[in-house]
Amino acid sequence: MRILVCVKRVPSPGSRINVTGDGQQVDTAYLGFTTSPHEECAVEEAVQLIERATASHPDSNDDHAVMVLTLGPDVAAEQLRYAASVGATGVALVEASGGLDWDPQRTASAIANAVQRLEADEGVFDLILFGNESADGGNFQVGIRVAHALGRPIVNGIKGIESRPDGGFVARRQTDAGYEVYELDAPCALGVKEGINLPRYPTMKGRLASRKAQIETLDSAREAAAGGQARVRLHRPPERASTTVVLGDSAAAAPAVVDLLDELGVL
């Protein structure tokens, strides 16, 4: 079984996002970066699928692999090495120029080109995993566009994956009424949601090994078709201010508390 996981380097959740003076870029001067949370779960799910496949067929270890790919600047190697520290057997970086607008269309085109190049050299991936959406853009498009370009079925919002004996996959998507179950023949693609698993922490051995991981660099971003969207201006919304009102002291506050509860419809 060969699995490819596409991840994205994003600002750490909860960070204060500032915009450069010209309104064209995010100011990264004081930002920390991480792997988008949905995609971190996708990496863990891929590693678990391979671990289960290896346990059931220990004689076929050489046929199992998890490759993690990202499109971004050279510093995105940090996220690739983290993936290597938690079980990825191969990592690849699609170099992206900072001077281009990387909308979902151009991003998907570059990734699809990279996947085709990897498969031409190393064989077809049985499964390609994406995050349901990235933590920064939240466009919900890249995985679907890549799968369409490669001519493969894809289901988003996945909260459970199992491999079938015939090489296909069974995927579960949570709904208000329970779960929808999808059966897909390989090769296929899935969009994983955060919560499908609890990602592991890298061990010291894994961290040391990740330093030696060979990052395969691809320049397929140059061949990516221009996107249909253009950035006009980034805008940071005004911060919401909160106020605290003291209703009173000791027993004197009781009437005010009752009035507030009545206003809220609690009483």
Side-chain angles (χ1 to χ4, degrees), residues 9-136:
R9 172 184 170 89
V10 298
S12 299
S15 300
R16 178 187 175 90
I17 307 297
N18 294 315
V19 178
T20 56
D22 60 5
Q24 292 300 304
Q25 301 289 338
V26 171
D27 186 353
T28 61
Y30 303 104
L31 273 182
F33 286 85
T34 186
T35 301
S36 194
H38 293 294
E39 292 152 13
E40 188 177 6
C41 288
V43 173
E44 175 64 26
E45 192 66 17
V47 172
Q48 289 189 20
L49 282 167
I50 293 300
E51 287 175 344
R52 292 197 292 268
T54 302
S56 355
H57 300 90
D59 297 333
S60 60
N61 288 0
D62 294 340
D63 299 331
H64 300 310
V66 174
M67 172 162 275
V68 175
L69 177 146
T70 191
L71 181 147
D74 292 341
V75 287
E78 175 188 1
Q79 280 63 52
L80 292 177
R81 294 197 183 280
Y82 186 88
S85 73
V86 294
T89 54
V91 288
L93 172 67
V94 181
E95 293 182 321
S97 169
L100 298 175
D101 280 340
W102 286 99
D103 71 338
Q105 186 175 342
R106 186 190 291 270
T107 300
S109 177
I111 292 175
N113 291 340
V115 173
Q116 290 172 332
R117 185 170 300 181
L118 289 170
E119 292 188 329
D121 294 338
E122 304 172 19
V124 174
F125 293 104
D126 301 292
L127 177 63
I128 302 178
L129 294 180
F130 300 90
N132 197 60
E133 81 272 8
S134 63
D136 52 356

Side-chain angles (χ1 to χ4, degrees), residues 1-265:
M1 185 192 306
R2 301 186 69 246
I3 303 177
L4 175 69
V5 187
C6 297
V7 304
K8 185 178 183 182
R9 172 184 170 89
V10 298
S12 299
S15 300
R16 178 187 175 90
I17 307 297
N18 294 315
V19 178
T20 56
D22 60 5
Q24 292 300 304
Q25 301 289 338
V26 171
D27 186 353
T28 61
Y30 303 104
L31 273 182
F33 286 85
T34 186
T35 301
S36 194
H38 293 294
E39 292 152 13
E40 188 177 6
C41 288
V43 173
E44 175 64 26
E45 192 66 17
V47 172
Q48 289 189 20
L49 282 167
I50 293 300
E51 287 175 344
R52 292 197 292 268
T54 302
S56 355
H57 300 90
D59 297 333
S60 60
N61 288 0
D62 294 340
D63 299 331
H64 300 310
V66 174
M67 172 162 275
V68 175
L69 177 146
T70 191
L71 181 147
D74 292 341
V75 287
E78 175 188 1
Q79 280 63 52
L80 292 177
R81 294 197 183 280
Y82 186 88
S85 73
V86 294
T89 54
V91 288
L93 172 67
V94 181
E95 293 182 321
S97 169
L100 298 175
D101 280 340
W102 286 99
D103 71 338
Q105 186 175 342
R106 186 190 291 270
T107 300
S109 177
I111 292 175
N113 291 340
V115 173
Q116 290 172 332
R117 185 170 300 181
L118 289 170
E119 292 188 329
D121 294 338
E122 304 172 19
V124 174
F125 293 104
D126 301 292
L127 177 63
I128 302 178
L129 294 180
F130 300 90
N132 197 60
E133 81 272 8
S134 63
D136 52 356
N139 293 304
F140 294 81
Q141 292 186 44
V142 172
I144 295 171
R145 287 180 176 273
V146 172
H148 179 73
L150 298 174
R152 298 177 192 183
I154 181 170
V155 184
N156 261 355
I158 297 303
K159 294 294 286 286
I161 306 173
E162 296 176 5
S163 59
R164 296 192 325 225
D166 63 357
F169 297 90
V170 177
R172 298 192 307 277
R173 178 164 66 186
Q174 193 170 16
T175 68
D176 292 339
Y179 283 91
E180 297 173 346
V181 179
Y182 296 86
E183 294 200 12
L184 300 93
D185 294 330
C188 60
L190 296 170
V192 170
K193 286 196 74 171
E194 185 180 9
I196 189 174
N197 55 47
L198 183 63
R200 70 193 69 188
Y201 288 102
T203 62
M204 181 60 69
K205 180 180 178 180
R207 286 190 179 277
L208 293 174
S210 69
R211 295 182 182 179
K212 301 177 182 178
Q214 189 68 32
I215 298 177
E216 185 172 351
T217 303
L218 305 170
D219 61 357
S220 58
R222 299 178 185 176
E223 308 162 8
Q229 302 175 19
R231 180 184 297 129
V232 177
R233 182 173 179 270
L234 296 177
H235 172 68
R236 190 174 187 278
E239 295 184 6
R240 295 181 180 179
S242 60
T243 58
T244 301
V245 178
V246 178
L247 297 177
D249 294 322
S250 63
V257 172
V258 172
D259 291 341
L260 177 61
L261 294 176
D262 184 51
E263 181 183 340
L264 295 173

